[in-house]
Amino acid sequence: MSGAVGRPAVRRALVLAAAASTVLGAGPSITAVAAAHGPARPGIPAGDEPGTPQGGKAPLHGPAGRPSTATKPGTVSKAPATTRAEIINRAKTWIDADVPYNMNEYWSDGYRQDCSGFVSMAWNLPGNEWTGSLDTVSDRITRDELQPGDILLFHNPVNPEKGSHVVIFGGWTDYTHTYYIAYEATPPHARKQATPYAYWKNSDRYLAYRYKGLTESASGAKPSAEKGPGRFPGAAYFGPGANNKYVTQLGRLLVERGAGRFYTSGPGPRWSAADGRATQAFQRAQGWRGGAADGYPGPETWRRLFS
């Protein structure tokens, strides 16, 4: 009797153990397949929307502050002229200062310390707009038209203060166009980080917009002569066997554009396969293919990294 009961129990234990062994053994191969077909997708950071309340339209320095100088905020004739580089550089000032998120406080430059105040500051608007009015100073564009300085906007009319958000697009992280660099004001402070398109939550409700006051072509920055540290040093400084400061500079520029996942250490002065893979990903993100995306920086790759 006990033997009859014991044998099925042993067989069940062996079956369960074998099944567990199979599942555990499959883990590495499943992970490898996932890694080969797309970038790692981190979890939603704590503090992201919809917990980003924002204020409404307001003049600079708050309700009692200096009024807006534009009689019709958002019209092309009144929208201050700016460039993509100026937009990103202004956004970086808040990020470098770790400006705290607050829908009721105003930073020293007069802009409200929330998501729409951040965009108003970066676009150099004459007042503090909000997600319900930023579309009046911008034009709808497609995902494929996105360039640094454009925005991804989600305005929720059902819960406009707590259910809305806006971020500044800083460029694609690689050729897959699934992640981009987002500049944004969100708790606890302004930040810059790689973000899945279009956002961590409510992704299908974000729309792309371009500021009407841009003074450059829709395709990118103004052409200019590169001088000083931005001048391309020459192809001889890159590739197998290269060991110099320009390789380090290249790696750091690529990491700033979201290529950190290619490096297990560094970047450093000695050329590595990681430098080649990161450079090729950046080139493909520009839409280049074939020999134009060979993983070695040329004058145009260098210019775009600095622009």
Side-chain angles (χ1 to χ4, degrees):
M1 183 80 171
S2 60
V5 173
R7 283 192 293 272
V10 170
R11 285 197 295 271
R12 283 196 298 272
L14 290 173
V15 169
L16 290 172
S21 175
T22 301
V23 171
L24 292 173
S29 60
I30 292 173
T31 303
V33 170
H37 288 276
R41 189 179 181 92
I44 298 172
D48 273 328
E49 55 93 16
T52 50
Q54 59 166 325
K57 289 182 63 174
L60 293 177
H61 300 281
R66 187 166 66 250
S68 170
T69 57
T71 55
K72 293 181 179 181
T75 62
V76 174
S77 61
K78 298 296 181 180
T82 191
T83 66
R84 297 189 184 282
E86 289 169 344
I87 291 171
I88 297 300
N89 286 336
R90 279 193 292 267
K92 286 180 178 178
T93 61
W94 274 31
I95 292 167
D96 292 343
D98 286 335
V99 174
Y101 188 93
N102 194 309
M103 65 175 290
N104 299 311
E105 297 293 333
Y106 292 74
W107 198 238
S108 57
D109 53 18
Y111 292 96
R112 192 177 55 241
Q113 296 167 212
D114 59 16
C115 63
S116 49
F118 176 72
V119 172
S120 299
M121 176 275 300
W123 280 1
N124 200 29
L125 297 177
N128 285 280
E129 301 292 336
W130 72 309
T131 57
S133 63
L134 282 169
D135 63 339
T136 66
V137 292
S138 57
D139 296 312
R140 276 285 307 278
I141 59 173
T142 66
R143 167 179 173 156
D144 292 338
E145 293 174 317
L146 278 166
Q147 294 285 338
D150 299 332
I151 62 170
L152 289 165
L153 172 67
F154 166 41
H155 178 66
N156 182 6
V158 177
N159 190 359
E161 287 191 354
K162 294 187 177 181
S164 306
H165 194 48
V166 61
V167 303
I168 296 174
F169 180 86
W172 299 108
T173 62
D174 62 24
Y175 71 96
T176 65
H177 288 195
T178 53
Y179 273 71
Y180 66 98
I181 297 298
Y183 296 83
E184 61 181 326
T186 188
H189 53 70
R191 72 183 182 192
K192 165 192 171 185
Q193 73 170 20
T195 302
Y197 183 85
Y199 203 68
W200 305 97
K201 295 180 180 178
N202 295 308
S203 179
D204 59 338
R205 304 184 68 179
Y206 279 78
L207 301 175
Y209 287 87
R210 174 165 297 151
Y211 178 52
K212 289 180 178 180
L214 278 177
T215 59
E216 58 202 22
S217 68
S219 60
K222 294 179 180 178
S224 61
E226 298 292 349
K227 299 179 181 179
R231 185 176 181 180
F232 182 60
Y237 286 90
F238 306 98
N243 188 350
N244 57 75
K245 65 179 182 180
Y246 298 109
V247 176
T248 302
Q249 189 175 28
L250 170 71
R252 288 174 178 171
L253 288 168
L254 290 166
V255 169
E256 287 180 3
R257 295 301 185 99
R261 68 185 185 282
F262 291 101
Y263 294 89
T264 56
S265 62
R270 188 179 298 278
W271 179 269
S272 68
D275 294 307
R277 289 193 297 268
T279 301
Q280 186 178 58
F282 176 78
Q283 291 168 334
R284 288 179 175 175
Q286 314 310 304
W288 304 340
R289 295 294 182 268
D294 59 2
Y296 296 97
E300 183 61 15
T301 299
W302 196 258
R303 185 188 72 80
R304 294 203 180 194
L305 282 169
F306 272 92
S307 67

